[in-house]
Amino acid sequence: MQPAQSIDWSYAPAPETFPVEIQQEHGLFIGGKFVDPRSRKHFDTIDPATEKKLSRVAEAGKADVEVAVKAAQKAFKGWSRMRPAERAGYLFRIARRIQERARELAVLESMDNGKPIKETRDVDVPLVAQHFFHHAGWCDKLAHAVPGVEPRPIGVCAQVIPWNFPLLMAAWKIAPALACGNTVVLKPAETTPLTALRLAEILQEVDLPPGVVNIVTGAGETGRMLVEHPNVQKVAFTGSTDVGKRIARACAGTDKRLTLELGGKSPNIIFADAPMDQAIEGIVNGIWFNQGQVCCAGSRLLVEESVVDEVIGRLTHRMRSLRVGNPLDKNTDVGAINSRQQLERVNSFIECGVQEGADRIVCFDGALPDTGYWVAPTLFRGVQPAHTIAREEIFGPVLTVLTFRTPDEAIARANDTNYGLSAGVWTSRASKAYEVAAGVKAGVVWLNTFNQFDATSPFGGFKESGFGREGGRAGLAAYLA
Ligand code: NAD
Ligand code: MN
């Protein structure tokens, strides 16, 4: 008999080769044009997988925010009174151009954010196009969006977004605002401004009237000036709960409309009778999708006690086959952490979990790349509900595993959190699925699946995960007066 040969299962590199040109410097997009910032300030955005600078981006100051809001105010009259079908035409053309430039947008997103090309190509960018298509269809049907309400736009919308789904969050914000006849000033996150600026090029290509969408880049201070501007009528924010609370305080006592999409610590509940193969994939998808840098990540795994060893055994086995590395490689499953700051934050939570006495399992045998920001897929078992890592949002590829014995205990543990963004329930019994889903206080509950998004479906939180919905009719209501 031949001796067993060791087989090398590693994949040959399959780098995405689509060439994307990136200008050395980007201005602000105001009144339909790219303009130099009056602040005269710029900052760098880097590729977190290589730590190389990608471009210099304008940092909008007070005067810049002022002109951007003015441009949006000026554009409001024409845009809000435009025939709805004509408005729809612009949204359709934006969606078509996004599809035509999809590959470029996916590559650029992977470079600026660090997430794998598989995700940007197959999830982010298709959803971006879908959001514009979907909302194009609503423009002339708004009377049916919120029954009994005469659809009127609100005015100038200040929209501030995070770095984890840069272009998708821009689409979630811009598409419904425009469909309802509002105008926009958008502030992308400071580490991921490039795809929003590429979207601005598309807005120019489709001849969107100047000022309908303005994009001001910068950090938290730019965002603060924007949301506090007196001529802004609506604020839509996605980001951390801390900043969300600050914005809520700033809007209190004004007549600004506000929606907040904040953090999460979402439970993924696995019953012993779950379809186990799918559940393992669902758990993996729930926490290692975008390196766990997902507001609705299934970061708290609740497993029925009788199957916890089986689940952890299968999960660690599956996790060891995840390929971590170059985001632009088509085989990569797990990309880079978005910034050094985020890397340090995730590592300090891992440290904290070890110190609190939970049992850390690092599910990765290979070497992490030498440059860039990486965290190996990690899970903690032996976690107590009071542990910091069971309570606070880590926003990284770190899964905490807790157990339960009965459906009631599963519901109680799932709700034992300040957050309420999403949840997963895995069981082959429909009655149990519906009972548990109804008991869990979360904006979205996925049954036998996880991390599914659709423009027709409202998304948003309870408790400290925020309020207001994005997507579907509920999402339109947030942009109608
Ligand atoms: P962050 O709150 O620090 O930043 C989000 C955005 O707000 C950025 O554009 C930032 O520049 C801006 N900002 C910061 N300070 C501001 C201020 N005082 N006023 C106005 N704008 C300000 O969050 P982050 O670290 O970039 O993102 C991670 C967090 O976002 C996580 O907690 C995550 O859960 C949350 N998030 C939530 C959702 C959701 O839909 N619920 C989606 C993505 C991310
Ligand atoms: Mn970047």
Side-chain angles (χ1 to χ4, degrees):
M1 218 169 81
Q2 295 278 322
Q5 277 188 332
S6 78
I7 300 168
D8 181 6
W9 290 105
S10 61
Y11 283 48
E16 169 66 60
T17 51
F18 189 83
V20 173
E21 277 185 35
I22 304 176
Q23 296 162 34
Q24 286 187 359
E25 193 170 292
H26 287 81
L28 304 167
F29 184 67
I30 297 177
K33 291 200 211 55
F34 286 94
V35 297
D36 289 333
R38 293 169 186 222
S39 69
R40 295 168 183 266
K41 287 191 191 152
H42 288 81
F43 61 97
D44 291 345
T45 184
I46 64 160
D47 178 339
T50 61
E51 298 175 59
K52 288 209 181 93
K53 172 175 150 185
L54 294 173
S55 183
R56 260 159 62 83
V57 177
E59 182 181 339
K62 194 164 195 290
D64 299 300
V65 170
E66 191 63 46
V67 282
V69 172
K70 273 226 174 75
Q73 269 181 288
K74 193 168 157 218
F76 178 69
K77 202 167 163 189
W79 183 250
S80 61
R81 292 183 186 178
M82 183 182 282
R83 224 162 33 86
E86 202 180 327
R87 239 172 28 228
Y90 284 102
L91 291 178
F92 270 119
R93 286 196 286 279
I94 295 168
R96 289 289 292 130
R97 275 310 275 160
I98 287 165
Q99 287 186 319
E100 285 160 8
R101 294 179 69 170
R103 202 152 159 212
E104 168 197 356
L105 291 169
V107 171
L108 188 62
E109 193 79 309
S110 282
M111 292 171 83
D112 207 8
N113 169 281
K115 66 168 80 182
I117 187 74
K118 214 157 57 173
E119 278 174 27
T120 55
R121 182 197 61 199
D122 299 347
V123 182
D124 297 54
V125 176
L127 279 171
V128 169
Q130 195 213 3
H131 269 266
F132 281 100
F133 277 124
H134 174 80
H135 286 96
W138 271 115
C139 292
D140 59 358
K141 303 169 194 73
L142 292 172
H144 306 284
V146 190
V149 173
E150 177 71 22
R152 278 183 300 116
I154 301 172
V156 175
C157 304
Q159 306 182 320
V160 177
I161 56 174
W163 44 261
N164 59 348
F165 291 88
L167 190 58
L168 183 56
M169 289 300 113
W172 279 28
K173 297 270 183 293
I174 293 173
L178 297 198
C180 294
N182 303 284
T183 58
V184 163
V185 182
L186 176 86
K187 196 204 78 71
E190 49 272 41
T191 55
T192 54
L194 295 181
T195 45
L197 293 168
R198 207 55 68 120
L199 177 64
E201 284 180 16
I202 289 177
L203 304 181
Q204 286 182 321
E205 285 173 345
V206 305
D207 285 324
L208 187 74
V212 170
V213 173
N214 308 276
I215 299 179
V216 290
T217 44
E221 184 56 13
T222 304
R224 190 191 60 76
M225 291 186 289
L226 176 59
V227 301
E228 291 180 7
H229 196 288
N231 296 337
V232 158
Q233 276 90 37
K234 148 97 189 165
V235 174
F237 172 77
T238 297
S240 63
T241 296
D242 277 353
V243 174
K245 286 180 181 174
R246 239 177 287 164
I247 290 174
R249 277 195 288 273
C251 292
T254 74
D255 62 358
K256 285 176 193 170
R257 297 266 302 267
L258 174 65
T259 46
L260 297 174
E261 303 270 3
L262 309 175
K265 189 73 181 175
S266 297
N268 204 358
I269 305 169
I270 317 294
F271 284 97
D273 61 4
M276 223 30 105
D277 289 335
Q278 290 93 318
I280 297 299
E281 286 308 304
I283 298 165
V284 168
N285 173 273
I287 189 66
W288 287 285
F289 178 56
N290 197 8
Q291 295 68 255
Q293 302 169 116
V294 180
C295 49
C296 54
S299 54
R300 263 189 316 142
L301 187 65
L302 300 178
V303 186
E304 191 164 346
E305 204 171 79
S306 59
V307 291
V308 70
D309 289 333
E310 182 197 344
V311 167
I312 288 181
R314 292 173 70 154
L315 193 56
T316 50
H317 178 74
R318 173 66 181 91
M319 283 162 67
R320 289 212 155 83
S321 68
L322 292 175
R323 286 175 295 270
V324 183
N326 181 6
L328 288 178
D329 192 305
K330 292 168 200 157
N331 293 322
T332 294
D333 299 303
V334 179
I337 299 289
N338 181 247
S339 65
R340 179 175 294 279
Q341 193 190 352
Q342 185 64 17
L343 175 70
E344 284 165 5
R345 188 181 140 87
V346 174
N347 282 334
S348 75
F349 274 114
I350 291 176
E351 193 57 37
C352 175
V354 172
Q355 272 173 16
E356 284 180 325
D359 185 6
R360 171 170 57 162
I361 306 176
V362 180
C363 311
F364 181 63
D365 300 322
L368 294 172
D370 297 329
T371 61
Y373 313 132
W374 310 90
V375 175
T378 299
L379 71 81
F380 279 98
R381 66 179 301 180
V383 178
Q384 297 303 318
H387 283 169
T388 307
I389 55 167
R391 311 203 68 80
E392 289 190 27
E393 180 180 50
I394 300 175
F395 224 59
V398 181
L399 183 66
T400 56
V401 185
L402 297 104
T403 58
F404 65 87
R405 289 189 194 142
T406 63
D408 282 346
E409 198 186 6
I411 293 170
R413 289 221 155 157
N415 288 335
D416 180 19
T417 169
N418 293 335
Y419 294 109
L421 198 50
S422 75
V425 180
W426 298 82
T427 170
S428 43
R429 274 191 50 197
S431 56
K432 191 152 68 182
Y434 285 109
E435 186 195 322
V436 175
V440 174
K441 207 159 173 62
V444 187
V445 182
W446 288 294
L447 300 179
N448 293 336
T449 185
F450 209 90
N451 272 344
Q452 301 294 323
F453 304 97
D454 194 283
T456 61
S457 169
F459 181 89
F462 284 104
K463 303 198 270 187
E464 290 192 15
S465 292
F467 49 79
R469 295 291 178 266
E470 294 188 302
R473 291 182 194 205
L476 288 166
Y479 286 97
L480 292 171

